[in-house]
Amino acid sequence: MNSDFFRKNKRVIWSFLCVAAVLSLFFIKTKSAYQNQQQEKSGLVYNSNETVKDLVNQDTDGDGIPDWEESLYGTDPTKVDTIPGTPDSVTIAERQGTADSNGTPASTGDNENLTETDKFSRSLVSTVAALNQTGGLDQTTIDNLSSSLEAELDNPVPQKIFTSSDVKTTPNSAQSVLKYHDDMNNLFNKYPDIYNKSGVITSIANLFAGALQNYLNNPEDPNSLANLDTLTKGISGMISGMSKIVVPQEFLSIHLGLMNGFERVLENVSGIKQVDSDPVLAIGGANKFMDNLQTLQEALSALINGLKNIKQ
């Protein structure tokens, strides 16, 4: 894996990912929502002569809700009341968390279990449609939206940050440091898939690269990302084991840095594993993987150097 390649071609890669994500989401959503409907419903057939504006404004059932919005919220673009007796406008408002079944403001918010892809698709497509309808969708706005998306996916919110309350500590002493050294060494040896003669970082990178290559070669194979299962199991075991090791006070900061380094990589890999159900989360995980792997390398080096200095 060449990190220089990603850095030099970041904007090109991002442009491709953004376009691919939007197109994939549109077709995934519209296909999965009503894949059992008959193809002869001409109102849902898009042909090559239609413009983007036509697609954005198309309202097959004439209820004032564009077809794309109905697909996103799970209502039928060919019916004004997907749920008999309940207008689609009310159904969508309920699913947005903006109104209850009586049309009054909702107090509990959206109860749907939305993926990051659901949130992204609804927000982005709604924004683009609104700008298009008001005439504000120009190249500058598109560039701003792209930059905003890039920043969002480039800085995902950590799911877990380990602090001193997550580990046990002990006063500094030659004996406590020696025991800590042995405990950490024994822990790493329990996970040969990520700790072997090639080194921790290289082992993780190789498992990651192998899984992605398998997926690209055969994306329909449910086992194509099996290497990621091996990786998540190993990293999860390392984090769990580190939380149980008694840490000398002088190594507390280094220990937590290593735990959080493993955690960031684990979150990235876990996100990538959801590529079929939550592609936006997967894109964010893939984007940050190399950076977080580098951070993990720095944390591991700090631990090695710290133990080496003590022994000297």
Side-chain angles (χ1 to χ4, degrees):
M1 287 191 142
N2 191 331
S3 58
D4 289 336
F5 172 83
F6 288 100
R7 283 196 292 270
K8 293 177 181 178
N9 299 278
K10 187 174 183 179
R11 182 154 295 280
V12 174
I13 293 172
W14 262 109
S15 298
F16 170 79
L17 288 176
C18 290
V19 172
V22 173
L23 291 176
S24 297
L25 291 173
F26 178 79
F27 287 112
I28 288 171
K29 291 291 183 180
T30 53
K31 178 181 178 181
S32 62
Y34 293 101
Q35 58 183 353
N36 294 325
Q37 290 188 358
Q38 296 179 346
Q39 295 298 321
E40 59 266 22
K41 292 183 178 178
S42 58
L44 293 179
V45 176
Y46 300 144
N47 59 62
S48 59
N49 295 323
E50 291 180 295
T51 65
V52 172
K53 185 175 181 179
D54 292 329
L55 294 177
V56 168
N57 294 329
Q58 182 159 342
D59 179 11
T60 302
D61 56 16
D63 61 358
I65 306 171
D67 290 354
W68 62 263
E69 186 172 355
E70 298 220 32
S71 294
L72 287 178
Y73 287 98
T75 55
D76 189 340
T78 67
K79 299 178 181 178
V80 297
D81 56 349
T82 304
I83 301 175
T86 302
D88 284 347
S89 59
V90 173
T91 299
I92 290 176
E94 290 176 355
R95 294 174 182 178
Q96 289 175 323
T98 58
D100 61 20
S101 59
N102 295 317
T104 56
S107 58
T108 58
D110 192 349
N111 292 322
E112 290 180 285
N113 185 21
L114 299 179
T115 65
E116 292 303 312
T117 297
D118 292 327
K119 297 173 186 176
F120 161 71
S121 60
R122 293 184 181 186
S123 176
L124 179 62
V125 179
S126 295
T127 300
V128 170
L131 289 170
N132 183 65
Q133 291 171 348
T134 60
L137 189 61
D138 53 24
Q139 188 58 49
T140 299
T141 303
I142 293 174
D143 290 342
N144 289 338
L145 286 172
S146 178
S147 297
S148 176
L149 173 61
E150 179 177 346
E152 180 178 345
L153 294 185
D154 204 33
N155 297 282
V157 178
Q159 299 174 23
K160 170 68 177 179
I161 297 178
F162 293 102
T163 65
S164 57
S165 63
D166 295 306
V167 297
K168 299 177 181 179
T169 60
T170 186
N172 300 325
S173 69
Q175 183 178 3
S176 66
V177 171
L178 180 59
K179 186 176 188 310
Y180 175 70
H181 172 276
D182 292 341
D183 288 344
M184 286 296 294
N185 192 57
N186 290 335
L187 177 61
F188 272 100
N189 285 330
K190 286 179 63 177
Y191 300 98
D193 287 320
I194 64 172
Y195 179 61
N196 51 49
K197 62 181 180 180
S198 63
V200 176
I201 305 305
T202 302
S203 298
I204 291 176
N206 286 341
L207 283 171
F208 179 78
L212 291 192
Q213 187 61 55
N214 288 339
Y215 180 79
L216 292 174
N217 290 339
N218 191 5
E220 301 301 323
D221 182 1
N223 297 316
S224 61
L225 291 175
N227 281 1
L228 293 187
D229 293 331
T230 301
L231 190 52
T232 55
K233 181 179 179 180
I235 295 178
S236 296
M238 281 297 305
I239 294 173
S240 177
M242 289 184 70
S243 69
K244 300 172 184 176
I245 289 178
V246 179
V247 185
Q249 284 287 348
E250 61 186 306
F251 281 90
L252 178 58
S253 178
I254 293 176
H255 191 85
L256 291 175
L258 187 58
M259 286 182 70
N260 283 312
F262 274 122
E263 175 65 21
R264 297 291 79 76
V265 172
L266 177 62
E267 290 176 8
N268 293 156
V269 174
S270 298
I272 293 168
K273 285 173 61 178
Q274 299 182 55
V275 62
D276 292 327
S277 61
D278 197 348
V280 166
L281 183 63
I283 290 172
N287 179 58
K288 293 299 293 182
F289 178 81
M290 291 301 297
D291 289 342
N292 286 330
L293 193 60
Q294 177 61 39
T295 300
L296 177 61
Q297 173 66 76
E298 294 169 358
L300 184 60
S301 296
L303 174 66
I304 294 172
N305 291 334
L307 291 171
K308 183 185 300 182
N309 292 335
I310 291 295
K311 292 182 69 176
Q312 291 176 345

